[in-house]
């Protein structure tokens, strides 16, 4: 890390100086995004770290956040507090409110109708795996009682955060960090993102989704493998084949391991990893590399977990 500053006593003369900040430093990376914040702070988000394996070069994309304090010459990791801390404060301050208000909120949350969610996972070799899921409204067991203070995870839910990426656009306005777009690589393909997020730098509780990523807009305009070709021919053949595929996917959906109330993804993945690996191996084929199968399995599990939460 270097600092460019004017040389004392010599007007118009600039010199580079190597500096060694303290604190929690970011890991080596390129393609990261930076933005200036008040109080002489600089924000750094994401990027990519290239890893060379044998004859291939793969990028490990990141979505972490760091703060650099120029006055202290120190790095700080941007740790999110999570929505459950805010829930606790709000609950303590509203103990005197009537119970009907909490019951009404629980009724509205549980009245969601079933919906179909489509996710497209791009593997390292460019294969696009389409995941269709029918998500039903959460039952009464998934909604925590309004008067219980010992279930903050159920009240807060999983943290929302931008997916790993590089070259995103960052801006700070009125104490809020805005993040738009970026890209990530999957094999030889590059996927350009158009989602939009916001983070309150004063609260540091959670990311807010302003524009959600639309998987339907990330459709490749060329054939990737025989599976994609068969899917395209089936779509052109008529609506009957498409309805059959949808019904078969819906029939298989209940077989996915369910997310228990209050469970975090860090706990859900180890518990169900073997299931998702078998599912990803069936989709990728027997000749697929183990590392590729594992990445697809984790992506499928993450997509199902986010939509079920």
């Amino acid at each position: 890390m270097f600092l460019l500053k004017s040389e004392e006593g010599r007007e118009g003369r600039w010199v580079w100086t190597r500096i060694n900040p303290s604190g929690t430093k970011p890991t080596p990376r390129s393609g990261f995004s930076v933005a200036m914040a008040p109080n002489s702070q600089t924000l750094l988000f994401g990027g990519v770290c290239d890893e060379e394996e044998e004859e291939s070069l793969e990028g490990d994309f990141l979505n972490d956040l760091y703060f650099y304090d120029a006055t202290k010459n120190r790095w700080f990791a941007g740790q999110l507090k999570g929505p459950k801390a805010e829930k606790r404060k709000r609950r303590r301050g509203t103990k005197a409110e009537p119970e009907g208000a909490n019951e009404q909120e629980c009724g509205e949350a549980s009245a969601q109708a079933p919906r179909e969610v489509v996710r497209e996972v791009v593997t390292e070799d460019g294969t696009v795996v389409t995941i269709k899921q029918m998500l039903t409204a959460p039952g009464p067991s998934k909604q925590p009682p309004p008067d219980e203070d010992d279930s903050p995870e159920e009240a807060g839910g999983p943290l929302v955060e931008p997916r790993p990426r590089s070259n995103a656009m960052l801006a700070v306005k009125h104490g809020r960090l805005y993040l738009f777009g970026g890209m990530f690589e999957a094999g030889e393909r590059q996927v350009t993102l158009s989602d939009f997020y916001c983070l309150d730098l004063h609260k540091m509780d959670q990311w807010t989704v302003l524009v959600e990523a639309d998987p339907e807009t990330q459709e490749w305009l060329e054939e990737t493998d025989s599976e994609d070709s068969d899917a395209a021919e089936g779509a052109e053949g008529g609506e009957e084949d498409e309805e059959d595929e949808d019904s078969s996917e819906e029939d298989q959906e209940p077989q996915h391991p369910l997310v228990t109330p209050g469970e975090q993804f860090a706990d859900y993945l180890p518990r169900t990893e073997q299931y998702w690996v078998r599912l990803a191996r069936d989709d990728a084929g027997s000749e697929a590399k183990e590392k590729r199968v594992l990445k697809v399995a984790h992506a499928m599990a993450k997509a199902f977990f986010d939509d079920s939460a």
Side-chain angles (χ1 to χ4, degrees), residues 20-46:
N20 185 23
S22 59
T24 306
K25 303 178 183 179
T27 57
R29 66 190 68 194
S30 63
F32 51 85
S33 306
V34 295
M36 296 298 299
N39 301 325
S40 302
Q41 288 190 341
T42 303
L43 278 69
L44 182 148
F45 174 84

Side-chain angles (χ1 to χ4, degrees), residues 69-113:
D69 192 328
T71 57
K72 299 180 180 179
N73 191 26
R74 184 180 182 87
W75 283 102
F76 299 91
Q79 300 290 343
L80 299 183
K81 300 177 182 178
K84 59 183 180 181
E86 182 180 357
K87 288 283 184 179
R88 286 176 177 174
K89 293 180 181 179
R90 185 179 305 165
R91 188 171 297 162
R92 292 194 187 100
T94 58
K95 281 187 177 180
E97 292 184 359
E99 297 180 357
N102 289 332
E103 293 177 357
Q104 182 179 0
E105 293 179 359
C106 295
E108 293 176 355
S110 61
Q112 299 177 357

Side-chain angles (χ1 to χ4, degrees), residues 66-288:
Y66 290 88
F67 292 82
Y68 174 69
D69 192 328
T71 57
K72 299 180 180 179
N73 191 26
R74 184 180 182 87
W75 283 102
F76 299 91
Q79 300 290 343
L80 299 183
K81 300 177 182 178
K84 59 183 180 181
E86 182 180 357
K87 288 283 184 179
R88 286 176 177 174
K89 293 180 181 179
R90 185 179 305 165
R91 188 171 297 162
R92 292 194 187 100
T94 58
K95 281 187 177 180
E97 292 184 359
E99 297 180 357
N102 289 332
E103 293 177 357
Q104 182 179 0
E105 293 179 359
C106 295
E108 293 176 355
S110 61
Q112 299 177 357
R115 59 191 179 94
E116 180 182 15
V117 178
V118 181
R119 288 287 185 270
E120 290 189 355
V121 180
V122 185
T123 60
E124 294 181 351
D125 62 350
T127 303
V128 180
V129 180
T130 302
I131 307 172
K132 293 184 179 180
Q133 303 166 346
M134 289 297 297
L135 301 180
T136 58
S141 60
K142 293 185 179 181
Q143 184 67 32
D147 295 334
E148 289 185 0
D149 291 337
D150 56 350
S151 56
E153 292 82 1
E154 297 180 12
L159 287 177
V160 177
E161 59 181 0
R163 68 163 298 153
R165 67 191 68 196
S166 66
N167 301 317
M169 297 296 296
L170 288 185
V172 177
K173 182 70 172 179
H174 298 316
R176 295 180 179 271
L177 172 65
Y178 295 90
L179 182 146
F180 174 79
M183 59 83 63
F184 71 94
E185 295 178 353
E188 297 181 354
R189 299 187 179 278
Q190 294 183 351
V191 180
T192 303
L193 302 170
S194 61
D195 46 357
F196 196 15
Y197 291 84
C198 176
L199 176 64
D200 192 325
L201 298 178
H202 299 293
K203 297 180 179 179
M204 287 295 293
D205 50 358
Q206 63 177 342
W207 287 93
T208 301
V209 181
L210 302 180
V211 178
E212 189 175 2
D214 186 2
E216 295 182 357
T217 61
Q218 300 176 359
E219 181 180 359
W220 301 111
L221 301 180
E222 59 178 342
E223 296 181 357
T224 55
D225 56 12
S226 58
E227 294 181 359
D228 293 337
S229 301
D230 296 341
E233 292 176 359
E236 295 176 357
E239 297 182 355
E240 295 182 358
D241 295 339
E242 185 175 350
E243 292 177 356
D244 294 339
E245 292 178 0
D246 294 341
S247 62
S248 62
E249 292 289 343
E250 294 175 6
D251 295 340
Q252 297 177 0
E253 182 62 28
Q255 299 177 0
H256 294 334
L258 298 179
V259 180
T260 59
E263 186 176 23
Q264 301 296 321
F265 183 70
D267 300 324
Y268 175 79
L269 181 60
R271 180 172 65 84
T272 62
E273 185 177 30
Q274 295 301 322
Y275 168 82
W276 294 108
V277 168
R278 289 196 301 269
L279 193 63
R281 184 174 290 107
D282 293 340
D283 292 339
S286 58
E287 298 180 358

